[in-house]
Amino acid sequence: MIGEALRRREDPRLITGRGRYVDDLHMDGTVHVAFVRSQEAHALIESVEFDSDHDGARLFTASDLGLQAPMPLQNPGPIIVQPLTASPLATDEVCYVGQPIAMVAAPTAQAAVDALDAVFVGYEPLPATVDHRHALDDSSPPVHRSSDSNLAATVGARFGDAAAVLDASERVITLDLDQHRGALASLEGRAVLAQWSDADQTLSVWTSSQSPHAARNMIASYFGLSPDDVRVVTPDVGGGFGPKALIYPEELALAALTRLLGVPVKWTERRREHFVSAAQQRGQSGTVEAAFDDSGRVTAVRARLVHDLGAFVPYGVVVPLTTLRLMSGPYAIPNLDVEIACVFTNAAPTGAIRGAGRPHATFLLERVIDSIARALDVDPAEVRRRNFVGREDFPYTVPISGSDGRPISYDGGDYHLALEMALEAANREGFAERRESSASHGLLRGLGIASYIEDTGLGPYEGARIEILPSGEVIVETGNSAQGQGHETVFTQICADQLGVPVDRVTVRGGDTGRYPHGISTVASRTATTGAGAVHVTAIELAETVRQLAASRLEAAVEDIVLQDGAAMVIGQPGTEIPLGELAAAAQPKLGGIPSPGNRLPGLSAERVLPFDGLAFTYGTHVAEVEIDPETGHTTVVSYVVVHDCGTMLNPMIVDGQIDGGVAHGLGNALSERVVYDETGQPLTTTFMDYRIITAADMPQLIKIHTETPSPNNPLGAKGAGEGGTIPAAAAVVAAIEDALGDRVAPITHHPISTQWVFEALHGPDR
């Protein structure tokens, strides 16, 4: 069944309203919570006052709950010179608008929200630093009053001698890049329900998260509990996209409150809260220099970049490190020198959003390639051809250390083929005629190309447990939590493939640390390689056990046993079928019975952990075609081609869905999604009226073409597919806009590209 386009098993439940999200969970005696959040970007807290008679609501501060200590750093590292994290509730200083200061608890959610009007916070405002591009200037005030610098970390990589090549080269381009902040806009915001049990001194937390096991570990560590005494469950999650990988102050605050009150406590985020306090991403700017020869071959790249961390560094510097590690992209660059300063600003903390640093590197490289083409008056596709890593060069090593400390190694692919297939599907040969047709209607038309790679399958492991019940049902338990990726369907296909059972006999359970205690996180396009791989090897082991048991019962050779239709049988001998449920029942322990052979655990189950064995590199090329109305500056994406290689496609229908969603996210990054703060740190984009995401009406019809280069680094040969639609999209669309505008603009080095910017590029700012 692997490779079949099986329809998603999750969907009937989700699209008919039978999904169970955190806000759908109800417990008797639940107290509802609303958060008092900072209205200042930077200030000292002088007082917190509350009208205690307000509808029976109660106010809780950090001192009331013992929450003065800062939260643990989720991804620590020695390169972080200022590992500053917030306490779950601010104590004496606030560093961004939206930072939680206190909680109001009331019998209903509405009463808790209404009671916020009865809270008064006295502030002593402090100067704020908002623009990351100037965070290290001597004139910029410290984001934290106790800090002498706004620098949190510096990450860098060098190989070859870029400085010498740049100094000696006659051809050098310099680009000043600016990729603005973006926000999370998932359909479901964050939500938490927490319950403390005095009877057995255990804590249960239901949270809309991508990282239940990380949440369990942090909660346990913060409160001095054993991880075994903390259960974290992620029910249905209405979109994660990266920011829900973080562990947030609200999760710890509700855990503390339920321990104090002894009753369940619940909080559901409102949309404005989501915009001011959920993790954001993408703010990165700086200068890149590239040397190249007369043929357009890149000989050296040097970049000095600044990455916006926001007010704290809860997620570590994972995102800028990811940018750094992909700075060669699909190109054979002989000399590289990149340095990224990771700085604090008085804005919401940043983390990962779909792509998580990879779009930064791709945008930089693709702007370099297009600028070289422009400088030499050479076809942008040809410049790519001349710089690609060749098919014969794989595995291709880039001398930059990966997260495991080993040099990065591209596992395989054919970048040239992906480019040619994309150009053919986009009918590039007919573009001149289409451009003339648009011009006859007073419109400008442009075509842009972007090629990319993506490191998927981040380690260190994932695990799975599979059990066959006496009923014949198969239970799959995994540490992976799902936010819409189709885990239930794909894991079912893998199990059914190995065990020979109908798909409707398989149940997949994930995202519950009480059921399966081992897991990392559903991030970085890693589940297809790690989680699915773990299910695969576990199912193989269990299938072998089943064959051994059946061979013993049937007095046959193990190699003659086949599994099909929920039974084991001797191949070619009808009537020898033994239902798997019957074998499972026989394997159940009975008083005075015969022990399981070979010290095997009782029952019919298997559990395996699949360790990391190297990254799987997805790659591809996107071609965007746009039309621009000069009278308004409005850009319409009229055609979009994706050629994508994610190795073995476990379910092509799900892969296509991931590509569709990824491209939509990428088009938003390119054209409209921008978080804006004023000079004092006040957020100006706090609703969907201000922060515009792409809708179905904005989407072009996508042409999707897949190649399959199986990865040797996992047993399924799979590569991640969740982010490939997003990573090159902004670069492709910006290239198309630049092509449409032609000589009217210098190389475009920023995104998103607003309608206003296009209009002013055509007509000047004063019209």
Side-chain angles (χ1 to χ4, degrees):
M1 293 197 68
I2 293 175
E4 291 186 21
L6 183 68
R7 297 189 70 173
R8 285 170 38 112
R9 302 183 69 208
E10 302 92 330
D11 287 350
R13 175 174 54 83
L14 296 174
I15 66 178
T16 57
R18 291 181 286 120
R20 296 276 286 171
Y21 302 88
V22 174
D23 196 49
D24 295 319
L25 306 179
H26 303 285
M27 295 181 181
D28 291 339
T30 296
V31 169
H32 295 264
V33 167
F35 282 89
V36 179
R37 298 185 181 275
S38 175
Q39 298 179 16
E40 296 285 343
H42 196 197
L44 300 180
I45 301 173
E46 295 183 326
S47 62
V48 181
E49 300 175 5
F50 180 60
D51 178 3
S52 58
D53 295 328
H54 195 281
D55 292 333
R58 298 173 61 186
L59 181 75
F60 296 91
T61 63
S63 60
D64 297 324
L65 298 169
L67 295 175
Q68 296 96 329
M71 296 171 61
L73 189 62
Q74 197 166 336
N75 295 294
I79 60 175
I80 304 175
V81 296
Q82 291 197 83
L84 300 178
T85 62
S87 55
L89 297 176
T91 54
D92 58 350
E93 181 184 18
V94 288
C95 296
Y96 66 96
V97 172
Q99 184 174 351
I101 295 173
M103 290 188 288
V104 173
T108 68
Q110 189 59 56
V113 171
D114 290 344
L116 293 177
D117 292 336
V119 181
F120 176 79
V121 180
Y123 300 100
E124 179 186 331
L126 298 172
T129 290
V130 181
D131 190 338
H132 66 278
R133 295 170 296 183
H134 300 291
L136 298 180
D137 293 354
D138 292 340
S139 58
S140 293
V143 170
H144 299 269
R145 59 173 178 155
S146 59
S147 297
D148 295 327
S149 169
N150 290 327
L151 182 68
T154 302
V155 300
R158 295 171 182 82
F159 57 80
D161 193 343
V165 173
L166 283 161
D167 288 344
S169 178
E170 295 181 0
R171 294 188 178 275
V172 176
I173 59 166
T174 301
L175 302 174
D176 292 322
L177 302 173
D178 183 21
Q179 301 182 70
H180 210 281
R181 266 184 181 245
L184 172 63
S186 57
L187 188 62
E188 180 203 25
R190 296 178 294 134
V192 183
L193 172 65
Q195 182 183 38
W196 173 257
S197 171
D198 280 326
D200 55 9
Q201 298 288 288
T202 59
L203 175 67
S204 298
V205 178
W206 293 261
T207 180
S208 179
S209 174
Q210 297 171 238
S211 307
H213 294 82
R216 175 201 61 189
N217 295 343
M218 184 177 290
I219 291 169
S221 173
Y222 192 87
F223 294 109
L225 301 171
S226 166
D228 290 340
D229 293 330
V230 179
R231 179 189 181 195
V232 174
V233 183
T234 56
D236 290 324
V237 176
F241 307 110
K244 289 184 183 177
L246 277 71
I247 315 305
Y248 284 93
E250 292 86 353
E251 289 161 317
L252 274 69
L254 265 74
L257 186 59
T258 188
R259 295 182 73 201
L260 177 67
L261 300 181
V263 299
V265 296
K266 184 178 180 181
W267 165 72
T268 300
E269 186 179 55
R270 292 164 291 147
R271 183 57 60 178
R272 187 181 187 281
E273 284 185 290
H274 197 59
F275 272 116
V276 301
S277 62
Q280 299 172 356
Q281 196 240 319
R282 200 172 68 231
Q284 193 176 98
S285 307
T287 300
V288 58
E289 301 166 277
F292 56 99
D293 62 22
D294 292 342
S295 72
R297 288 291 304 271
V298 178
T299 55
V301 171
R302 178 169 60 195
R304 295 294 180 264
L305 307 173
V306 180
H307 185 88
D308 185 358
L309 294 172
F312 297 98
V313 60
Y315 203 57
V317 291
V318 171
V319 173
L321 278 173
T322 303
T323 298
L324 183 75
R325 290 165 179 160
L326 291 190
M327 200 56 84
S328 287
Y331 305 113
I333 298 175
N335 301 279
L336 185 77
D337 180 356
V338 180
E339 187 174 281
I340 307 175
C342 309
V343 301
F344 293 118
T345 58
N346 291 114
T350 62
I353 289 181
R354 203 171 199 159
R358 299 168 184 88
H360 298 91
T362 300
F363 186 76
L364 180 151
L365 285 169
E366 295 307 283
R367 292 284 73 210
V368 164
I369 294 295
D370 283 340
S371 296
I372 291 173
R374 186 169 180 164
L376 295 175
D377 195 22
V378 174
D379 180 1
E382 183 58 31
V383 176
R384 286 171 171 80
R385 295 184 187 104
R386 295 172 185 176
N387 282 282
F388 278 152
V389 173
R391 180 179 180 179
E392 68 282 358
D393 295 326
F394 292 107
Y396 181 80
T397 299
V398 178
I400 298 176
S401 294
S403 59
D404 62 348
R406 296 181 292 180
I408 290 171
S409 178
Y410 301 172
D411 50 353
D414 192 335
Y415 303 160
H416 290 84
L417 177 63
L419 173 65
E420 302 310 324
M421 293 176 71
L423 295 175
E424 181 179 358
N427 187 19
R428 194 180 188 219
E429 290 185 357
F431 174 70
E433 183 178 342
R434 297 194 298 276
R435 173 175 267 176
E436 288 181 8
S437 176
S438 295
S440 69
H441 293 87
L443 303 173
L444 305 175
R445 199 175 189 102
L447 184 144
I449 306 167
S451 299
Y452 77 101
I453 60 169
E454 178 192 2
D455 53 330
T456 73
L458 197 64
Y461 68 86
E462 283 294 344
R465 181 179 182 274
I466 306 174
E467 181 174 9
I468 301 172
L469 304 180
S471 64
E473 301 288 330
V474 178
I475 304 296
V476 181
E477 292 178 336
T478 172
N480 294 111
S481 60
Q483 305 90 45
Q485 296 90 343
H487 293 178
E488 182 179 337
T489 303
V490 173
F491 293 174
T492 293
Q493 288 179 261
I494 293 169
C495 249
D497 200 52
Q498 294 297 327
L499 298 177
V501 297
V503 294
D504 60 4
R505 304 284 280 176
V506 180
T507 299
V508 176
R509 298 170 176 167
D512 184 343
T513 67
R515 290 189 181 274
Y516 193 80
H518 313 296
I520 304 299
S521 187
T522 302
V523 296
S525 297
R526 62 187 301 272
T527 300
T529 61
T530 56
V535 172
H536 180 65
V537 297
T538 305
I540 290 174
E541 180 177 310
L542 181 55
E544 180 61 21
T545 299
V546 170
R547 291 188 186 95
Q548 291 173 359
L549 294 175
S552 178
R553 288 274 298 271
L554 296 170
E555 298 181 348
V558 172
E559 56 268 25
D560 291 335
I561 300 297
V562 294
L563 308 181
Q564 61 186 40
D565 299 326
M569 63 178 291
V570 180
I571 188 170
Q573 296 187 23
T576 60
E577 297 89 347
I578 303 176
L580 298 190
E582 184 177 321
L583 291 172
Q588 294 296 319
K590 299 177 180 63
L591 182 64
I594 299 173
S596 299
N599 295 319
R600 187 174 56 79
L601 292 172
L604 194 50
S605 66
E607 181 175 355
R608 286 285 303 276
V609 169
L610 183 71
F612 173 75
D613 195 31
L615 292 166
F617 277 85
T618 295
Y619 67 90
T621 291
H622 291 198
V623 178
E625 197 163 319
V626 303
E627 267 190 342
I628 295 174
D629 182 350
E631 292 301 312
T632 64
H634 179 71
T635 298
T636 301
V637 181
V638 295
S639 174
Y640 202 95
V641 173
V642 175
V643 174
H644 180 264
D645 191 311
C646 62
T648 303
M649 287 198 290
L650 306 180
N651 183 314
M653 183 183 297
I654 287 178
V655 171
D656 278 349
Q658 289 287 323
I659 297 298
D660 290 345
V663 170
H665 204 152
L667 296 185
N669 291 347
L671 296 172
S672 61
E673 293 191 48
R674 180 180 180 182
V675 170
V676 180
Y677 289 85
D678 71 12
E679 64 278 4
T680 68
Q682 288 295 324
L684 304 180
T685 44
T686 60
T687 73
F688 285 128
M689 293 292 289
D690 314 307
Y691 186 89
R692 184 176 175 274
I693 60 174
I694 294 295
T695 69
D698 301 308
M699 285 292 289
Q701 184 172 357
L702 303 184
I703 299 173
K704 298 181 286 283
I705 300 171
H706 302 284
T707 61
E708 292 188 67
T709 308
S711 174
N713 294 334
N714 64 82
L716 287 167
K719 304 175 182 180
E723 298 170 284
T726 301
I727 290 168
V733 172
V734 168
I737 293 172
E738 182 176 283
D739 184 51
L741 297 179
D743 294 335
R744 300 173 182 86
V745 295
I748 301 175
T749 56
H750 73 281
H751 69 86
I753 307 298
S754 68
T755 296
Q756 178 180 345
W757 185 91
V758 173
F759 183 87
E760 292 181 354
L762 289 168
H763 305 291
D766 300 324
R767 177 171 169 181

